[in-house]
Amino acid sequence: MSYRKLISFVLILYLLNSCLLSCSSSLTSDGLSQIPKKILTLAKKHEFFHWLVGIRRNIHEHPELGYEEVETSKVVRAELDKMGVSYDHPVAVTGVIGSVGTGQAPFVALRADMDALPMQEMVEWEHASKIPGKMHACGHDAHTTMLLGATKLLKEYEKELKGTVILVFQPAEEGRAGAKKIVEAGVLKKASAIFGIHVANVLGLGKMSSRPGQLMAGSGRFEAKIIGRGGHAALPQFAIDPVVAASSVVLSLQHIVSREADPLDSQVVTVAKFEGSDAFNVIPDYVTIAGTFRALSPQSFKQLKERIEQVITSQASVHMCNATVDFLEENYPPFPPTENDEALHEFYKNVVVDMVGTENYLETLPVMVSEDFAFYKEEMPGHFSFVGMQDESHLPMASPHSPYFEVNEESLPYGASLLASMATRYLLESSSLPNKSSENDEL
Ligand SMILES: *[C@@H]1O[C@H](CO)[C@@H](O)[C@H](O)[C@H]1NC(C)=O
Ligand SMILES: *[C@@H]1O[C@H](CO)[C@@H](O)[C@H](O)[C@H]1NC(C)=O
Ligand SMILES: [Zn+2]
Ligand SMILES: [Zn+2]
């Protein structure tokens, strides 16, 4: 090869590399319906996929609990810096809010959660959690990676975006309502709509799933102290036994759902904690019970909460005990039910069908788990959906919050391109889609 040939060869290599993803064609030139497929093709490219996997493994090895996502937030900001994406930090303690696009309206938001769980990883693999007692067992490492992936894809054709995408890397989804703090920080005031996703262990790789309307339950906690009078276990006549009283309380609580609720309006009351004395021969002064309650509709949720308090205090008094009930709302704000906007769901479904085909969209039934994504939904139209992970090499897959939970990394390009596609298409179609102002008009 001559010197001149070599130079031009190197130059071509350089040019190819500098437009790693999409140099060749415009995203929007072949019409709206082609966008999701084009984006998925980019996201599945070898180099892009390995970049995603690297980020996910790094985050997975260093899990952090809610509002402590210091290192995770650093990883996010380092990647945004490399892409030349501007952001605000800290928002809601450890959150990062980035933006890509024109800087002008319309604005659409994409959300990922960054926190891990206080549990020991039991999966034995090279990139297992390096932090004892903490684990990404809900897939939030994957969600954060998918949103970074979406950001890189969006950045690649930023000039073609017809508005601005707000990137929400939120802290503390697990029980601590990081989403509520993000909303309160006021950083989403301009956003017309918001999209969120979650990896799903029971859904096939390459498949996507959601439903219009009720998707996930609202959830709250309660803790009650049933107060009697302690004494010798052999002399119950001189004591007021809170153990028997609390046992009655637990059984009566179970009757709220089985006897009062509409069987077709799903609700759950679970007492998960029951603590009395440490000794076999001492009647304790009091018993502490604690649990969770869930409902799919806001009305049922409110009613459930009222009845839980009534049942606990009344049943305690039947047994001559007193009771105090605490819903712990200060530290653990109750999550509202997650309901998908119906028109946004149609929009989502169109994007999914354009990306992976009708056969890979599945409408799910509602589930009784909950998501703090619901707090965004209270502020603007929103949509939440599931991205499948299961394939032959991952079957069966442990459920979220299991110490054996795994992420199939092949799902990362799907999540990244779904987020990027929804944002891109929303901005192009926004005038005919639900947005904050159209919702306000109805009020
Ligand atoms: C319950 O509260 C009432 C009113 O304060 C009090 O008189 C009673 O002693 C309490 N009972 C127990 C078992 O603590
Ligand atoms: C919001 O929705 C209304 C009614 O559907 C529409 O006229 C308006 O253009 C939309 N606004 C944005 C910013 O997309
Ligand atoms: Zn979780
Ligand atoms: Zn989760």
Side-chain angles (χ1 to χ4, degrees):
M1 199 183 286
S2 75
Y3 183 67
R4 188 178 288 175
K5 264 191 184 154
L6 183 69
I7 290 286
S8 52
F9 182 65
V10 168
L11 195 66
I12 285 168
L13 270 186
Y14 173 79
L15 283 175
L16 277 176
N17 205 33
S18 70
C19 50
L20 172 70
L21 295 174
S22 65
C23 256
S24 44
S25 70
S26 132
L27 191 71
T28 44
S29 56
D30 303 323
L32 290 183
S33 67
Q34 295 304 309
I35 293 174
K37 235 185 226 118
K38 283 186 183 176
I39 295 182
L40 181 61
T41 307
L42 299 178
K44 280 184 164 179
K45 285 195 173 176
H46 191 73
E47 217 166 318
F48 190 79
F49 176 66
H50 281 272
W51 172 76
L52 289 171
V53 167
I55 291 173
R56 185 261 156 170
R57 291 182 178 177
N58 181 11
I59 297 176
H60 188 83
E61 286 177 7
H62 306 99
E64 296 171 301
L65 304 183
Y67 298 122
E68 297 171 4
E69 304 92 336
V70 176
E71 297 304 319
T72 311
S73 158
K74 259 188 211 160
V75 170
V76 167
R77 282 175 286 135
E79 291 301 330
L80 295 181
D81 282 335
K82 281 188 223 163
M83 294 176 213
V85 170
S86 59
Y87 53 81
D88 281 342
H89 169 83
V91 176
V93 191
T94 50
V96 182
I97 307 292
S99 79
V100 179
T102 59
Q104 310 290 318
F107 291 84
V108 64
L110 300 175
R111 171 275 204 167
D113 38 15
M114 303 193 290
D115 57 322
L117 286 155
M119 54 195 286
Q120 181 64 42
E121 175 158 7
M122 300 292 277
V123 187
E124 287 178 22
W125 69 302
E126 202 186 333
H127 298 282
S129 168
K130 290 198 159 79
I131 317 285
K134 295 180 189 173
M135 177 192 181
H136 270 290
C138 200
H140 299 186
D141 50 344
H143 306 159
T144 302
T145 306
M146 287 165 172
L147 184 53
L148 280 171
T151 308
K152 201 174 171 90
L153 294 162
L154 291 164
K155 190 71 189 167
E156 194 70 19
Y157 47 81
E158 189 170 25
K159 288 194 197 78
E160 292 179 71
L161 296 177
K162 296 281 178 263
T164 308
V165 185
I166 303 175
L167 313 153
V168 182
F169 296 89
Q170 77 152 73
E173 190 282 327
E174 300 287 356
R176 300 294 305 284
K180 186 166 183 277
K181 267 204 169 55
I182 295 271
V183 170
E184 286 164 1
V187 290
L188 296 179
K189 288 222 160 74
K190 289 180 184 166
S192 299
I194 185 162
F195 295 98
I197 57 174
H198 207 293
V199 289
N201 64 309
V202 289
L203 185 65
L205 178 67
K207 294 187 190 297
M208 317 241 164
S209 171
S210 186
R211 64 178 281 109
Q214 295 179 330
L215 180 68
M216 285 178 292
S219 86
R221 307 183 176 207
F222 62 92
E223 187 171 74
K225 206 166 163 179
I226 320 293
I227 306 150
R229 191 166 67 228
H232 197 295
L235 304 169
Q237 71 275 29
F238 298 126
I240 298 174
D241 187 352
V243 175
V244 173
S247 304
S248 265
V249 166
V250 173
L251 290 180
S252 295
L253 285 173
Q254 291 314 306
H255 299 154
I256 302 176
V257 173
S258 70
R259 300 291 77 188
E260 294 176 21
D262 180 340
L264 292 179
D265 177 18
S266 305
Q267 299 175 32
V268 175
V269 177
T270 294
V271 177
K273 175 179 170 183
F274 192 113
E275 239 171 42
S277 87
D278 290 331
F280 78 98
N281 57 359
V282 173
I283 294 170
D285 268 332
Y286 63 88
V287 165
T288 306
I289 62 168
T292 177
F293 61 105
R294 320 236 158 170
L296 284 176
S297 76
Q299 304 84 304
S300 303
F301 187 77
K302 185 163 166 277
Q303 203 176 352
L304 206 48
K305 184 181 159 185
E306 281 169 18
R307 286 294 290 147
I308 285 170
E309 178 149 20
Q310 282 172 1
V311 165
I312 293 174
T313 51
S314 323
Q315 269 301 345
S317 78
V318 166
H319 298 270
M320 292 188 298
C321 288
N322 292 327
T324 57
V325 185
D326 187 350
F327 289 96
L328 309 167
E329 295 190 354
E330 194 113 318
N331 281 327
Y332 305 100
F335 290 9
T338 302
E339 284 186 30
N340 278 335
D341 182 281
E342 311 246 339
L344 275 191
H345 178 74
E346 274 310 298
F347 162 79
Y348 152 84
K349 204 168 133 186
N350 290 338
V351 171
V352 166
V353 167
D354 287 345
M355 184 151 89
V356 290
T358 324
E359 67 281 13
N360 287 313
Y361 167 74
L362 277 105
E363 189 154 307
T364 175
L365 288 171
V367 281
M368 296 310 285
V369 295
S370 50
E371 245 293 337
D372 80 347
F373 185 80
F375 287 107
Y376 300 116
K377 181 59 184 61
E378 300 213 316
E379 291 295 306
M380 70 190 98
H383 188 272
F384 196 80
S385 63
F386 300 103
V387 175
M389 296 201 291
Q390 199 178 79
D391 63 8
E392 296 82 46
S393 57
H394 297 81
L395 192 75
M397 295 189 86
S399 56
H401 296 208
S402 154
Y404 296 98
F405 181 77
E406 286 180 272
V407 163
N408 181 355
E409 291 169 334
E410 302 285 335
S411 66
L412 298 172
Y414 286 97
S417 43
L418 175 61
L419 289 170
S421 301
M422 287 193 293
T424 307
R425 286 268 294 259
Y426 182 90
L427 297 179
L428 287 161
E429 301 171 50
S430 77
S431 55
S432 62
L433 287 171
N435 60 46
K436 199 153 34 185
S437 47
S438 57
E439 250 188 16
N440 289 343
D441 288 350
E442 286 162 21
L443 296 174

